[in-house]
């Protein structure tokens, strides 16, 4: 009673089944695109004086009795922490894959594209042969590998 028991999962009906508008006291909205994750739809939810029935709680690891007493059954804060670390580790791996895709396109294009003459008697030079292009691209290749190795280490460790 009147103590913080941490976050727990509940199933909550948000919208009217007929009109699909949010129910009374529920505000939903879109927070726009997430940099690097355009395919992920991010939003927000605000509950204002909304009563959620006790039986809507996902009660595998914890429950609230009909008398209002909180009971943890084998629930560990380490389980929640481990789940958070798992998600974060995979975010690092996903980031490495996104950087790797982008830098692969840039390096391939730079290797194929020819522009400018260093020696007028020779054909145009590959863009990748310019030091400034290498200066821009090679650290990104290294970053993609470093993020991938760090993400894999996090997954193995946690």
């Amino acid at each position: 009673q009147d103590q913080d028991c941490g976050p727990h999962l509940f199933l909550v009906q948000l919208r009217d089944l007929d009109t699909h508008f949010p129910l009374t006291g529920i505000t939903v909205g879109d927070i726009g695109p997430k940099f690097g994750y355009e395919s992920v739809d991010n939003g927000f939810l605000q509950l204002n004086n909304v009563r959620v029935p006790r039986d809507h709680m996902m009660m595998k690891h914890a429950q609230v009795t009909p008398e209002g007493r909180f009971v943890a059954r084998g629930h560990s804060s380490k389980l929640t922490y481990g789940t958070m670390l798992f998600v974060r580790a995979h975010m690092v791996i996903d980031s490495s894959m996104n950087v790797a895709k982008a830098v692969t396109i840039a390096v391939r294009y730079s290797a194929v594209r020819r522009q400018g003459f260093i020696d007028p008697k020779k054909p145009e030079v590959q863009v990748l042969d310019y030091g400034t292009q290498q200066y821009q691209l090679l650290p990104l290749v290294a970053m993609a590998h470093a993020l991938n190795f760090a993400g894999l280490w996090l997954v193995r460790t946690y």
Side-chain angles (χ1 to χ4, degrees):
Q1 298 280 348
D2 295 329
Q3 74 180 43
D4 183 1
C5 297
H8 295 281
L9 300 177
F10 288 83
L11 291 177
V12 180
Q13 181 180 349
L14 302 178
R15 296 183 180 272
D16 183 274
L17 296 176
D18 296 323
T19 66
H20 301 288
F21 285 109
L23 295 171
T24 304
I26 296 177
T27 305
V28 294
D30 186 19
I31 60 173
K34 193 172 189 177
F35 183 73
Y37 294 93
E38 287 78 18
S39 62
V40 176
D41 191 13
N42 288 291
F44 67 88
L45 170 68
Q46 180 181 15
L47 304 175
N48 188 12
N49 294 320
V50 175
R51 184 183 178 282
V52 180
R54 182 187 70 82
D55 62 346
H56 286 207
M57 181 179 183
M58 307 293 278
M59 295 195 201
K60 181 176 182 179
H61 298 291
Q63 69 179 33
V64 176
T65 65
E67 298 79 36
R69 193 171 48 91
F70 176 78
V71 179
R73 292 186 294 167
H75 180 263
S76 167
S77 59
K78 290 181 181 179
L79 178 67
T80 305
Y81 184 70
T83 303
M84 181 192 70
L85 283 177
F86 177 81
V87 170
R88 299 296 190 273
H90 281 280
M91 287 175 70
V92 173
I93 292 173
D94 290 347
S95 296
S96 76
M97 294 298 134
N98 289 332
V99 171
K101 288 176 193 175
V103 78
T104 297
I105 292 168
V107 168
R108 286 180 179 173
Y109 181 78
S110 297
V112 172
R113 176 81 167 107
R114 295 181 173 273
Q115 183 173 334
F117 293 96
I118 293 176
D119 184 352
K121 298 176 185 172
K122 293 185 179 178
E124 287 186 298
V125 192
Q126 289 177 312
V127 172
L128 191 56
D129 287 340
Y130 288 102
T132 53
Q133 187 73 355
Q134 294 172 10
Y135 180 78
Q136 292 295 320
L137 292 179
L138 294 180
L140 295 174
V141 172
M143 184 193 334
H145 285 291
L147 285 171
N148 190 41
F149 292 139
L152 292 174
W153 177 82
L154 285 169
V155 169
R156 278 194 311 269
T157 304
Y158 298 105

